[in-house]
């Protein structure tokens, strides 16, 4: 394992999936046993596992378990019986394209398989998992190269080991840049309403020996005006063909403020998060979640009794506000539709 990288959240063990329950972090470390499609779907929808690459990997292992069950009950018809499992997994969360990407990749494999499918499907799910970690390590290297020493960075949500197969996208760059002494401080937005920054990013970076200061999202302008940070570094759930970036709600605010103060804005995401079929960010489906996520905290109502809430959980940052998109295939500076083509040619 490279330095500053110890956190793991997804394991295939004893013929089933094990997920670290991210709803309970950082105060409790509880591993859940996931053994079938319903449990896989619930884990993705209920945020046991979250982060675009991590839910894609989870769905891939979910398909292994679905195929095993369907093949055991009907060795002749398992391919048609598994269809509804696939569609449900594909739609479990709508914004992250990694889900559909992983389901499509598994589907291509089982369309070719003859006889018992589980061995080959498990091999593919493991490959998806391992390739994600390798991509993150490579992106960490590429992204760290862009950072001039002497300043801090700000990150949003959690785009770390917990959100991926391991190492992380935005946090992979931060891990590598910290190791190379290219950043001198890490700031993390607390990230309402799920507090992925306060609960997950701060926990995983501190576990790995990287000091982290939390800021409320409203502090972004003051932080950037103070001159303390050189880059905002975030992940993405889906990048459109023109370079528009969907990511956790509040990301676009940061990009706008960063441009005003001359702070650079970096998006770190594997090619599996890039969607050539999505012409621009306007067409990316944005997940809306229950308003109670805003009105309550830890199950306790905090908002005024009759208050309502609007809860879109992702936003779209226009490509023109992005200084660099770092993928494992290429680093695209000042992205646009033409430059993005290098990812798909
Ligand atoms: O709602 P979440 O926690 O799944 O949102 C996650 C994010 O927005 C991440 O930044 C994104 O998935 C990239 S993870 C490498």
């Amino acid at each position: 394992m490279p330095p500053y990288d110890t956190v793991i959240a997804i394991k295939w063990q004893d013929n089933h999936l094990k997920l670290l329950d991210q709803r309970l972090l950082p105060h409790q470390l509880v591993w859940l046993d996931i053994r079938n499609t319903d449990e896989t779907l619930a884990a993705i929808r209920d945020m046991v596992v979250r982060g675009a690459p991590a839910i894609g990997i989870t769905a891939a292992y979910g398909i292994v378990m679905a195929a095993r069950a369907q093949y055991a009950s009907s060795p002749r018809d398992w391919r048609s019986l598994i269809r509804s499992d696939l569609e449900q997994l594909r739609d479990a969360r709508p914004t992250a394209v990694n889900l559909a990407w992983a389901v499509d990749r598994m589907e291509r494999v089982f369309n070719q398989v003859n006889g018992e499918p589980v061995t080959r499907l498990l091999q593919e799910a493991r490959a998806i998992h391992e390739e994600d970690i390798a991509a993150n390590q490579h992106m960490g290297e590429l992204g760290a190269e862009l950072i001039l020493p002497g300043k801090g960075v700000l990150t949003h949500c959690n785009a770390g080991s917990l959100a991926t197969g391991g190492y992380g996208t935005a946090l992979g760059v931060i891990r590598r840049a910290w190791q190379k002494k290219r950043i001198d401080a890490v700031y993390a937005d607390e990230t309402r309403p799920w507090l992925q920054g306060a609960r997950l990013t701060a926990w995983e970076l501190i576990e790995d020996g990287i000091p982290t200061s939390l800021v409320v999202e409203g502090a972004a302008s003051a932080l950037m005006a103070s001159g303390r940070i050189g880059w905002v570094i975030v992940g993405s759930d889906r990048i459109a063909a023109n370079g528009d970036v969907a990511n956790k709600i509040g990301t676009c605010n940061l990009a706008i403020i960063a441009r005003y103060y001359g702070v650079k804005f970096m998006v770190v995401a594997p090619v599996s998060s890039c969607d050539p079929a999505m012409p621009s960010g306007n067409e990316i489906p944005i997940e809306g979640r229950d308003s109670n996520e805003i009105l309550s905290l830890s199950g306790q109502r905090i908002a005024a009794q009759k208050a309502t809430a609007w809860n879109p959980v992702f936003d779209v940052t226009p490509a023109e506000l992005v200084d660099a998109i770092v993928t494992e295939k290429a680093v695209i500076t000042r992205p646009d539709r033409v430059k993005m083509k290098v990812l798909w040619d």
Side-chain angles (χ1 to χ4, degrees):
M1 225 176 230
Y4 305 106
D5 177 28
T6 60
V7 171
I8 292 173
I10 305 175
K11 291 193 266 199
W12 180 265
Q13 200 176 299
D14 302 329
N15 287 320
H16 69 279
L17 184 60
K18 285 175 103 67
L19 296 174
L20 184 61
D21 190 342
Q22 298 193 29
R23 300 168 303 181
L24 303 178
L25 289 173
H27 304 296
Q28 293 176 57
L29 268 74
V30 175
W31 284 89
L32 297 186
D33 295 300
I34 308 293
R35 298 180 189 275
N36 55 44
T37 303
D38 285 347
E39 288 173 2
T40 310
L41 279 169
I44 295 172
R45 287 185 187 137
D46 299 344
M47 310 275 283
V48 168
V49 58
R50 28 70 47 203
I55 60 180
I57 293 162
T58 299
Y61 285 123
I63 291 169
V64 176
M65 296 183 289
R68 184 172 58 202
Q70 302 290 14
Y71 184 75
S73 70
S74 182
R76 274 194 349 182
D77 297 330
W78 70 273
R79 257 186 261 266
S80 53
L81 292 171
I82 205 176
R83 291 270 146 224
S84 87
D85 300 77
L86 293 187
E87 292 324 311
Q88 290 183 79
L89 285 167
R90 196 193 298 278
D91 297 339
R93 293 191 71 190
T95 305
V97 73
N98 304 64
L99 260 185
W101 174 88
V103 171
D104 288 349
R105 186 163 155 178
M106 295 297 283
E107 197 173 354
R108 278 197 295 278
V109 169
F110 78 64
N111 281 336
Q112 292 161 4
V113 107
N114 285 317
E116 184 278 310
V118 178
T119 312
R120 180 66 191 90
L121 287 172
L122 181 56
Q123 198 182 26
E124 193 68 9
R126 284 199 156 120
I128 289 173
H129 193 165
E130 281 158 21
E131 285 167 24
D132 186 65
I133 299 171
N136 291 339
Q137 288 170 350
H138 187 46
M139 291 188 292
E141 201 64 53
L142 296 174
E145 284 299 309
L146 300 177
I147 299 173
L148 293 176
K151 290 211 174 204
V153 296
L154 170 64
T155 190
H156 187 60
C157 193
N158 171 268
S161 297
L162 293 167
T164 62
Y167 201 69
T169 55
L171 296 196
V173 170
I174 290 174
R175 282 187 163 83
R176 190 69 182 121
W178 180 262
Q179 190 191 354
K180 294 175 97 174
K181 300 193 177 2
R182 285 176 175 252
I183 48 179
D184 55 16
V186 179
Y187 296 89
D189 269 344
E190 58 178 356
T191 317
R192 281 281 291 150
W194 271 84
L195 299 173
Q196 287 96 332
R199 294 188 305 104
L200 307 179
T201 294
W203 178 73
E204 92 165 63
L205 289 180
I206 290 165
E207 280 288 297
D208 280 343
I210 303 175
T212 304
S213 292
L214 285 169
V215 286
V216 296
E217 272 131 301
S221 174
L223 180 64
M224 293 195 222
S226 77
R228 289 167 196 235
I229 64 165
W231 285 87
V232 174
I233 308 180
V234 297
S236 175
D237 284 77
R238 191 185 302 230
I239 302 179
N242 68 345
D244 290 350
V245 173
N247 192 49
K248 178 56 55 194
I249 191 79
T251 300
C252 184
N253 303 23
L254 297 180
I256 293 167
I257 299 168
R259 186 56 59 87
Y260 182 81
Y261 287 110
V263 168
K264 297 274 177 87
F265 190 85
M266 185 192 306
V267 179
V268 189
V271 176
S272 58
S273 301
C274 302
D275 186 357
M278 204 51 61
S280 78
N282 294 335
E283 293 80 25
I284 295 177
I286 299 294
E287 177 181 0
R289 293 182 66 92
D290 195 323
S291 55
N292 280 322
E293 291 182 352
I294 293 178
L295 301 170
S296 300
L297 196 58
S298 305
Q300 182 159 356
R301 176 97 184 180
I302 49 167
Q305 274 315 324
K306 288 190 179 165
T308 57
W310 179 54
N311 188 18
V313 300
F314 298 100
D315 64 18
V316 174
T317 300
E320 64 186 283
L321 294 178
V322 176
D323 290 290
I325 293 178
V326 176
T327 74
E328 74 277 31
K329 193 164 176 194
V331 173
I332 302 164
T333 51
R334 293 295 180 119
D336 60 25
R337 194 175 299 283
V338 175
K339 291 187 188 168
M340 289 295 289
K341 285 199 169 121
V342 72
L343 298 182
W344 299 297
D345 287 345

